Amino acid sequence: MASVILLVKQTEDDEKVIYRFGPNERKMGLIEMNKIKESVKELEPVQVDGVSPSFFFNRAAQRLVRCLFREGGKFPERTTFES
């Protein structure tokens, strides 16, 4: 089954970036990447019946790690994780 996780930036500063993330703009959680500590944490899980919240978090976290390391720390306003 193909999946798309939408990420929409909420705020960014020198230390961290926070995104809303989920399968669509109606069902979203919050995720934060600390750029200095190079860590990701879930601030608010995505609630979708029949789907584990970790499904969305793990994929959104992968996308943010890619932004930090492979894309030179550039965090776009909107992005997706597609598998």
Side-chain angles (χ1 to χ4, degrees):
M1 177 172 115
S3 64
V4 176
I5 311 301
L6 175 65
L7 293 96
V8 180
K9 189 190 307 181
Q10 296 297 292
T11 184
E12 181 178 12
D13 59 29
D14 291 337
E15 182 180 345
K16 63 187 175 185
V17 61
I18 297 174
Y19 278 86
R20 295 203 63 76
F21 72 103
N24 58 56
E25 291 192 40
R26 293 180 308 278
K27 294 188 183 220
M28 299 189 98
L30 279 176
I31 189 170
E32 174 187 289
M33 167 162 268
N34 185 307
K35 300 178 207 176
I36 296 167
K37 294 179 183 177
E38 298 176 351
S39 63
V40 180
K41 69 179 175 180
E42 187 173 43
L43 302 176
E44 181 182 311
V46 178
Q47 301 295 325
V48 174
D49 291 339
V51 181
S52 169
S54 65
F55 174 84
F56 299 105
F57 171 74
N58 291 337
R59 285 152 181 82
Q62 287 179 50
R63 181 65 183 110
L64 294 182
V65 168
R66 190 176 306 136
C67 289
L68 183 64
F69 292 108
R70 290 190 183 165
E71 297 170 15
K74 305 263 191 254
F75 293 90
E77 293 299 315
R78 294 173 69 92
T79 189
T80 59
F81 176 94
E82 300 176 29
S83 63

